[in-house]
Amino acid sequence: MKNLKVIAFTHKHVDLKDLGNLVICNEELDNRLINLKNNLDIPEIFYIGTCNRVEFVFYGPHELSDDFVVQFLDKMNFCVPAERMQNYLSQVIRYSGQEALEHLFRTSCSMESLVVGEKEILAQIRRAYDRCKAAGFTGDFLRLMMDRLVKTAKEVYTYTNISRNPISVVSLAYRKLREVKLKDNPRILVIGSGETNQNLAKYLKKHKYSNFTIFNRTVANAATLAAELQAPVYPLSELKNYKKGFDVMITCTGAPEAIIHDDLYQSLLNGEDDKKVIVDLAIPNDIDAEIIAKHQVHYIEVSSLQQIAEKNIQERYSELENAAKIIDQNIKEFLPILKQRRVEVAMKEVPEQIKAIRELAMTEVFANEMEQLDPQAREILNKVINYMEKKYIKVPMVIAKEILVKSAESESN
């Protein structure tokens, strides 16, 4: 276990712009890891790169000194200028042994994520490992560790509430929107094409909504969203001339005050009097308060969603203790398994050594005596030796496993 190492650069200690300089594209990864393994004699390694972290997980006897980290970054061809190296050394977090294992388990359970409880980190770690495994960069130790890591994360996500409730405003808005009984393929007005509206519109598209119309201050800036939604896009100044009605209005602009007043809203209704749905994710709100007072609307706005998000965040953080208990239990279970595997690997040589001893005895040490035996006696002797050979191979394995089990029981008491 002491040979498990992690060199980590994360959002907790590194500016995200600096972190971007350490991200490795897939096309370069194999060559860089080959260079690293060959130069620093690292038996097993895999690389994790996300928008919030860059981590190197490896197995080897290396001490994670400043000199080693400098060599590591150099052999990875990061080309860090000498004047910047000290900055990176102050930002890197180093983990060894059981501390490294606990860090990886906590990371896979999203306990170290920018957003606690997001499940994507587990998928990212699995993809990172699988890619390096396929390229031949990992081995038996990291395989065992990943098996236990995945098991642990699944238990945390299943038996705690760490990821149950959404905490992003967009996901909460979508959930609220789904609670409203919408018409089949409702007419959806999207006002503003910033990241918030993009994300919400993508949720809707994913769930088969397709009747979108986009208005944005600058048409060119909405082109990407319009192409993805296969929707027409118009300048915001033309909103007053829109006469096709709507069922859902999603709005989020950067305007310093409300942009939808009662006269404009009346124009957009185009004579319709059924209850509309408005999702207003702008701060300050894009919808004038008079509209909410005068008209029938399902109004979903950002301040109420933020209150729910904050409550959900607190609930997630209250689950950290339960998640930590699951991790601790899995680490306790994993250590004996690791010891047992080490014995199994070491004992792989036993059958070959016993076969070699048998061959030597039969062909050299007792060669003359064997020649004097009749065929029937020789056959009986071979049967006896075969039986003894199997028992000699099995007995040490059984004894070793019993020792490991007793050792694990005594450590847990």
Side-chain angles (χ1 to χ4, degrees):
M1 174 56 67
K2 66 181 181 180
N3 285 342
L4 177 62
K5 307 289 165 58
V6 177
I7 293 177
F9 299 89
T10 78
H11 62 91
K12 291 187 176 182
H13 303 94
V14 185
D15 185 275
L16 293 183
K17 291 181 180 177
D18 288 338
L19 198 60
N21 295 327
L22 299 174
V23 174
I24 307 170
C25 66
N26 287 337
E27 291 76 14
E28 296 181 2
L29 183 60
D30 286 6
N31 287 337
R32 291 204 194 188
L33 290 181
I34 288 170
N35 185 56
L36 182 75
K37 282 171 61 70
N38 291 343
N39 281 280
L40 296 183
D41 192 24
I42 294 176
E44 302 182 44
I45 188 169
F46 74 98
Y47 156 85
I48 305 166
T50 75
C51 57
N52 293 324
R53 66 183 64 249
V54 168
E55 302 198 16
F56 299 91
V57 182
F58 63 97
Y59 183 77
H62 313 76
E63 181 184 348
L64 300 184
S65 63
D66 283 357
D67 287 343
F68 178 79
V69 174
V70 170
Q71 287 185 66
F72 192 99
L73 295 178
D74 179 59
K75 299 306 179 187
M76 284 299 294
N77 296 328
F78 282 125
C79 301
V80 178
E83 62 272 14
R84 294 282 295 151
M85 181 57 73
Q86 196 58 43
N87 187 45
Y88 278 105
L89 287 175
S90 68
Q91 295 171 330
V92 67
I93 307 298
R94 312 160 215 213
Y95 302 94
S96 296
Q98 190 165 324
E99 186 183 38
L101 185 66
E102 183 176 354
H103 164 74
L104 290 169
F105 280 18
R106 287 178 61 86
T107 299
S108 70
C109 297
S110 79
M111 296 167 70
E112 304 289 342
S113 295
L114 196 59
V115 178
V116 171
E118 54 89 12
K119 293 182 179 180
E120 178 60 21
I121 185 62
L122 175 60
Q124 290 169 332
I125 292 175
R126 291 182 73 172
R127 285 195 297 268
Y129 169 77
D130 288 343
R131 190 188 188 292
C132 289
K133 177 185 176 184
F137 296 127
T138 65
D140 197 53
F141 180 89
L142 291 182
R143 175 187 63 79
L144 289 172
M145 186 206 73
M146 279 300 301
D147 287 346
R148 178 59 56 160
L149 180 148
V150 171
K151 173 183 178 294
T152 303
K154 286 182 176 179
E155 288 178 3
V156 167
Y157 292 131
T158 301
Y159 299 116
T160 75
N161 292 320
I162 199 168
S163 64
R164 296 281 167 84
N165 297 318
I167 59 176
S168 75
V169 167
V170 171
S171 60
L172 286 167
Y174 175 71
R175 179 170 288 195
K176 285 286 185 183
L177 190 55
R178 293 284 287 177
E179 291 173 1
V180 179
K181 191 172 182 180
L182 299 176
K183 298 178 179 179
D184 290 338
N185 201 21
R187 299 162 295 170
I188 302 174
L189 281 185
V190 179
I191 302 173
S193 66
E195 183 178 358
T196 299
N197 270 2
Q198 288 180 34
N199 290 337
L200 184 51
K202 287 173 184 176
Y203 269 110
L204 292 167
K205 183 190 175 188
K206 180 180 178 181
H207 289 85
K208 309 305 180 186
Y209 294 96
S210 60
N211 193 355
F212 297 93
T213 302
I214 303 170
F215 287 87
N216 197 54
R217 196 172 302 280
T218 305
V219 169
N221 291 344
T224 301
L225 180 60
E228 181 167 351
L229 299 180
Q230 297 182 334
V233 57
Y234 304 101
L236 191 58
S237 58
E238 287 298 308
L239 191 58
K240 61 182 182 294
N241 298 320
Y242 186 73
K243 300 300 180 184
K244 294 184 179 181
F246 71 94
D247 301 301
V248 179
M249 179 187 297
I250 298 171
T251 180
C252 184
T253 71
E257 56 187 22
I259 63 168
I260 310 293
H261 295 277
D262 189 53
D263 55 347
L264 177 55
Y265 186 76
Q266 292 274 16
S267 173
L268 292 170
L269 287 175
N270 199 31
E272 298 175 3
D273 60 2
D274 57 320
K275 196 171 187 177
K276 304 297 183 183
V277 179
I278 299 176
V279 182
D280 185 356
L281 301 183
I283 301 176
N285 290 342
D286 281 337
I287 303 296
D288 187 83
E290 184 183 6
I291 295 171
I292 312 306
K294 288 179 62 175
H295 299 275
Q296 291 190 76
V297 294
H298 289 286
Y299 187 53
I300 301 168
E301 49 92 28
V302 72
S303 61
S304 62
L305 296 176
Q306 285 179 326
Q307 291 173 11
I308 298 171
E310 289 169 6
K311 179 176 179 291
N312 288 352
I313 287 173
Q314 292 305 315
E315 289 176 355
R316 286 190 177 193
Y317 273 97
S318 69
E319 288 295 300
L320 291 179
E321 184 177 347
N322 292 330
K325 289 178 181 177
I326 292 174
I327 289 174
D328 288 344
Q329 182 60 37
N330 272 279
I331 289 176
K332 287 179 182 177
E333 293 172 2
F334 178 65
L335 295 180
I337 291 172
L338 194 60
K339 290 178 181 178
Q340 181 176 318
R341 181 58 181 163
R342 287 176 59 194
V343 170
E344 289 173 353
V345 171
M347 296 293 284
K348 276 184 177 180
E349 297 181 8
V350 171
E352 293 302 319
Q353 291 180 0
I354 290 177
K355 282 181 171 44
I357 292 171
R358 170 184 173 163
E359 185 67 18
L360 180 67
M362 300 283 280
T363 60
E364 295 185 28
V365 178
F366 300 105
N368 292 333
E369 290 85 344
M370 291 293 295
E371 287 294 328
Q372 296 174 19
L373 294 176
D374 60 60
Q376 185 178 4
R378 190 177 298 178
E379 182 181 354
I380 293 172
L381 180 59
N382 273 325
K383 286 182 179 179
V384 171
I385 292 175
N386 286 337
Y387 175 81
M388 295 294 292
E389 183 180 322
K390 290 177 182 177
K391 291 299 180 182
Y392 275 122
I393 292 171
K394 184 178 179 181
V395 168
M397 288 294 295
V398 172
I399 292 173
K401 287 182 179 179
E402 288 176 352
I403 292 172
L404 286 172
V405 169
K406 289 179 181 177
S407 174
E409 288 175 350
S410 64
E411 287 176 5
S412 63
N413 291 333

